[in-house]
Amino acid sequence: MGGPELLKSIWHAFTALDVDKSGKVSKSQLKVLSYNLCTLMKIPHDPVALEEHFKDDDEGPVSNQGYMPYLNTFILDKVKEEFDRQDFDRMCWTLCARKNLDRSNLLISDDDAFKIWCIFNFLCEDRYPLSIVSEEMEYFLRKLTDSMGGSWVEERFEDYKLELQTQGRSLSAWELITLVASGHFSKGMDRQTLSMGINEVYHELILDVLKQGYIMKKGHKRKNWTERWFVLKPTSISYYMGEDMAEKKGDIQLDGNCCVEPLPDKEGKKCLLFIKCAGKSYEISASDKKRKQEWIQAIQTCVSLLRLGLPAPHREARLRRREQRGRLQAEQEDLEARMKELTAANDTKQQELEAMRKALEEAAARAAEEERRRLQTQTELQDRYRTDLEREKTVRQQMEEQVALKSSELEQYLQRVRELEDMYHRLEDALEEERAARQDEETVRRLQARLLEEESTKREELEKIHLRQQRAISETEAEKKELEKERRAKDSALQDAMQQLEHLESERQGALEQYQAVTKKLEDAANNTRTWKHKVAEHEGLVRLIQPGNKGPQRITNWGPAAFSEVELSVREKEWQDRKRPAQ
């Protein structure tokens, strides 16, 4: 009997003496309790020890925490020989049952209530105030149901356990007694069956009775066969005159060297088995083969436990259940600690995410504002480009009209040249130079047309890029980051296109300047030609050239206005005069 189990019974007695529930008991009552404990546990009682132990305290009552060290030092540590545990429990029961047990509505006897109280002390946890957990309560109720021959109703117990869990409490000894006495888990059983079931569970769990029953035993002296009530415990087999165990007839002490084996039928006895212990052997006869095998197996189990130094099976099972509960509780505490850490980390992450969300919202607002400004700037640039394009288109139309007009004038001059071709053979050099000027003009026109075509192509590419950019701008905010690089690439391409457009613009400007130069050259050539025609008309008076109306102070030749400069026309005129003289 371990110290913790003895303390449980003493704790019940101590709390019973605490009448006003203050948690303390007077020293006079503790002296009486200590005297009774020493008497029952067969240790010498020291009446002065209690006073000496609490000599530093005042004359007031002693708490449970103060009384427990005294118990361990002066009573429990001095227990050496075996004492009657039942008398010890009876004394503690008598003190506490009078105060806590309501016998008015009990369906069981006081003795059965005492046995349930002992079973509670055996199964409850080593924590005060004492209570029994649902797992141990289920273990006890299952054993009680099996002992009564009933069937276990799992749903009924689960409902009751759920009710306890909902209320967040566990049962005390008196609540367990009331639960069993109410018949909630033994419906359909009479009081006698319930009492027998409680007695069987009590014998197994408290008295360590592993098996009991009537068996025939062969005497050592007279060799006669007598029926005895055998009781098997982990270390011994006791046999009595009857089932009430009032008169013990002997004990068979078991150890790790004992053995049990079946014997063949003889002397008219069947189902024989042979038990051999230290220097002594026993022959017993079971009532049938089943009981014979049960007894052999039970005795072999006890011998094996003694050989291994293990406690009784139900005590070892209780220890395993407690260890498992301890592991589960430690895992639960560890899980709760980790859950707290995870919760704290989650809260921190939530705060960080909230800060990030706010930062993203601010960044999105700034990006939207920048995007609005960029769109506004781009719109302004587009309007400016559109205005420039319209202006360029107008200029180009004007240039085309001028080119068409000049082409018409050129046709007129060519017609005049064909009419005068026979008369002015000596003007071939001048005409060749004028034709070369025309080719230059055609080259410039083709260059200008090519530039205009490239400008149109670039403008279409710019419009496509602008349309793609407009579609990219209309994408959702969630795609903005993914399209940022593409937008930058498109902006870069747009910049390149704009640079190319500016380059084309500069080329077009150069072509325009070249065209103006050619036009000026053509105008000079026309002036020279007109001077030459004037001289021809003066000197020969043969033909009057067909000329368009006067449009201004321009020198016009048959190659068009301003086809030759004044200098070129003078040179051509001089060459013509030089060729004319030898002909004369």
Side-chain angles (χ1 to χ4, degrees):
M1 307 295 179
E5 295 184 17
L6 296 176
L7 281 176
K8 292 177 182 178
S9 299
I10 299 173
W11 178 83
H12 282 289
F14 182 90
T15 54
L17 296 176
D18 181 15
V19 180
D20 55 357
K21 297 183 180 180
S22 63
K24 294 184 178 182
V25 178
S26 65
K27 290 182 182 179
S28 60
Q29 290 178 308
L30 292 180
K31 288 180 181 179
V32 176
L33 176 61
S34 301
Y35 174 78
N36 291 331
L37 293 175
C38 291
T39 302
L40 291 171
M41 289 189 280
K42 300 179 181 180
I43 60 176
H45 177 58
D46 186 359
V48 186
L50 185 64
E51 293 292 342
E52 288 292 330
H53 185 73
F54 296 104
K55 64 181 179 179
D56 294 334
D57 294 348
D58 55 16
E59 294 299 326
V62 179
S63 65
N64 182 33
Q65 289 79 8
Y67 185 57
M68 288 304 169
Y70 168 79
L71 278 175
N72 291 323
T73 304
F74 295 97
I75 298 179
L76 298 181
D77 290 348
K78 295 182 180 180
V79 177
K80 294 182 180 180
E81 58 181 286
E82 290 291 331
F83 63 93
D84 194 333
R85 174 64 187 271
Q86 285 185 285
D87 290 342
F88 172 82
D89 288 336
R90 282 285 181 184
M91 187 273 292
C92 297
W93 162 261
T94 303
L95 289 175
C96 62
R98 189 183 309 121
K99 174 185 175 183
N100 297 293
L101 185 62
D102 183 11
R103 295 178 173 84
S104 58
N105 297 322
L106 291 182
L107 300 178
I108 58 177
S109 64
D110 188 75
D111 185 61
D112 292 336
F114 163 72
K115 293 175 180 177
I116 296 175
W117 179 79
C118 293
I119 295 171
F120 171 87
N121 290 339
F122 175 75
L123 296 176
C124 69
E125 301 295 303
D126 295 336
R127 293 192 300 268
Y128 297 91
L130 297 176
S131 62
I132 186 170
V133 297
S134 58
E135 181 184 1
E136 298 296 339
M137 181 170 59
E138 180 181 4
Y139 172 79
F140 165 60
L141 293 176
R142 279 181 181 273
K143 273 196 166 298
L144 180 60
T145 304
D146 293 341
S147 300
M148 293 186 297
S151 58
W152 175 252
V153 183
E154 185 73 28
E155 293 80 6
R156 187 182 303 169
F157 180 78
E158 290 297 328
D159 293 341
Y160 185 74
K161 184 169 70 172
L162 180 61
E163 180 182 352
L164 291 178
Q165 291 176 351
T166 304
Q167 298 174 0
R169 67 185 186 90
S170 54
L171 296 186
S172 64
W174 318 109
E175 291 173 328
L176 181 63
I177 293 172
T178 304
L179 178 66
V180 175
S182 65
H184 184 72
F185 293 98
S186 58
K187 291 183 178 180
M189 301 292 179
D190 54 21
R191 296 181 63 177
Q192 183 178 2
T193 304
L194 178 60
S195 178
M196 291 175 62
I198 294 172
N199 184 64
E200 183 174 340
V201 177
Y202 174 78
H203 276 77
E204 178 181 352
L205 300 183
I206 306 303
L207 301 182
D208 293 337
V209 175
L210 303 181
K211 189 168 183 60
Q212 55 185 350
Y214 281 108
I215 301 181
M216 299 295 293
K217 174 183 173 299
K218 184 177 182 180
H220 288 284
K221 296 180 180 179
R222 291 186 291 176
K223 306 298 181 181
N224 59 331
W225 291 87
T226 309
E227 187 178 51
R228 300 291 184 220
W229 178 260
F230 274 69
V231 177
L232 174 63
K233 293 186 177 182
T235 59
S236 65
I237 304 175
S238 301
Y239 48 96
Y240 302 84
M241 284 291 294
E243 187 176 350
D244 56 0
M245 295 187 293
E247 182 181 354
K248 181 187 286 189
K249 300 302 291 183
D251 292 310
I252 304 175
Q253 296 299 325
L254 301 177
D255 56 34
N257 298 321
C258 294
C259 65
V260 57
E261 55 188 21
L263 289 176
D265 298 342
K266 64 178 181 178
E267 300 176 4
K269 295 295 180 182
K270 298 181 179 180
C271 303
L272 296 175
L273 57 144
F274 180 74
I275 303 173
K276 183 177 181 181
C277 295
K280 201 169 185 179
S281 59
Y282 302 87
E283 292 184 22
I284 56 178
S285 173
S287 58
D288 53 44
K289 292 183 179 180
K290 179 182 177 183
R291 285 185 172 80
K292 170 187 174 181
Q293 189 60 35
E294 289 176 354
W295 275 100
I296 292 175
Q297 186 174 356
I299 295 172
Q300 287 177 345
T301 300
C302 291
V303 173
S304 299
L305 292 175
L306 289 171
R307 190 177 295 126
L308 298 174
L310 298 176
H314 61 276
R315 294 185 181 273
E316 185 179 2
R318 180 190 64 171
L319 182 61
R320 285 198 301 269
R321 291 195 302 273
R322 287 187 177 180
E323 290 176 351
Q324 184 178 4
R325 281 198 300 274
R327 287 194 299 270
L328 291 176
Q329 184 176 1
E331 292 176 358
Q332 182 69 22
E333 292 175 354
D334 183 59
L335 181 61
E336 290 177 356
R338 283 189 291 173
M339 286 298 295
K340 289 181 180 178
E341 293 177 358
L342 290 175
T343 303
N346 186 41
D347 293 340
T348 305
K349 289 293 183 183
Q350 289 293 338
Q351 295 175 358
E352 293 178 356
L353 289 175
E354 183 66 20
M356 291 176 63
R357 185 185 65 79
K358 292 181 179 179
L360 287 175
E361 289 178 355
E362 295 175 357
R366 289 194 299 270
E369 181 64 21
E370 293 177 358
E371 185 68 16
R372 186 187 64 78
R373 293 176 182 174
R374 190 185 64 79
L375 288 175
Q376 184 177 0
T377 304
Q378 188 174 10
T379 303
E380 294 175 355
L381 289 175
Q382 288 174 355
D383 293 340
R384 189 182 305 169
Y385 293 154
R386 191 177 299 109
T387 303
D388 294 341
L389 288 173
E390 291 176 356
R391 188 183 301 114
E392 291 295 331
K393 188 182 296 184
T394 303
V395 172
R396 185 177 62 182
Q397 290 176 355
Q398 293 175 356
M399 291 177 63
E400 288 176 353
E401 291 176 357
Q402 292 178 3
V403 169
L405 180 59
K406 290 193 179 293
S407 298
S408 177
E409 293 176 354
L410 183 60
E411 287 294 332
Q412 293 177 4
Y413 285 126
L414 289 175
Q415 182 65 29
R416 292 171 189 161
V417 169
R418 284 194 296 272
E419 292 176 357
L420 296 174
E421 189 176 14
D422 295 334
M423 299 175 61
Y424 299 103
H425 291 290
R426 298 179 179 179
L427 297 176
E428 289 178 357
D429 294 335
L431 292 175
E432 286 294 329
E433 293 177 359
E434 191 173 354
R435 191 176 297 111
R438 182 184 174 207
Q439 290 176 355
D440 292 339
E441 183 181 11
E442 288 291 332
T443 301
V444 171
R445 188 180 295 108
R446 284 195 298 271
L447 177 62
Q448 185 177 14
R450 181 178 61 82
L451 292 176
L452 289 174
E453 182 179 359
E454 290 180 357
E455 181 182 359
S456 176
T457 303
K458 291 298 179 180
R459 186 177 293 107
E460 289 178 358
E461 292 178 357
L462 183 62
E463 288 293 332
K464 290 180 181 179
I465 291 173
H466 172 66
L467 291 176
R468 286 198 298 271
Q469 193 173 23
Q470 286 294 332
R471 286 194 296 271
I473 291 171
S474 64
E475 294 295 332
T476 61
E477 286 297 325
E479 298 174 341
K480 185 176 295 181
K481 290 184 178 180
E482 296 178 0
L483 298 176
E484 188 64 20
K485 292 183 178 180
E486 183 178 352
R487 185 184 64 79
R488 292 175 182 172
K490 290 181 179 179
D491 287 343
S492 177
L494 180 60
Q495 292 295 331
D496 295 337
M498 291 176 64
Q499 291 177 1
Q500 293 179 6
L501 184 61
E502 291 175 358
H503 180 68
L504 290 175
E505 181 68 19
S506 62
E507 289 182 355
R508 188 187 66 78
Q509 190 67 27
L512 182 60
E513 292 175 358
Q514 188 176 2
Y515 175 79
Q516 291 176 353
V518 171
T519 304
K520 186 71 169 71
K521 186 176 179 181
L522 186 63
E523 183 180 355
D524 294 338
N527 292 333
N528 292 333
T529 304
R530 186 171 63 252
T531 302
W532 176 82
K533 288 192 295 184
H534 178 71
K535 289 181 179 182
V536 169
E538 273 184 350
H539 289 285
E540 294 188 4
L542 298 176
V543 178
R544 182 182 180 88
L545 295 175
I546 299 173
Q547 296 180 353
N550 187 14
K551 294 183 181 180
Q554 298 184 21
R555 291 186 179 276
I556 301 175
T557 66
N558 56 346
W559 290 103
F564 301 96
S565 64
E566 291 288 343
V567 177
E568 290 175 341
L569 189 59
S570 299
V571 171
R572 290 179 182 271
E573 184 178 358
K574 185 178 179 180
E575 291 177 353
W576 180 78
Q577 291 291 343
D578 292 339
R579 287 195 299 269
K580 184 179 179 182
R581 287 191 190 97
Q584 291 178 353

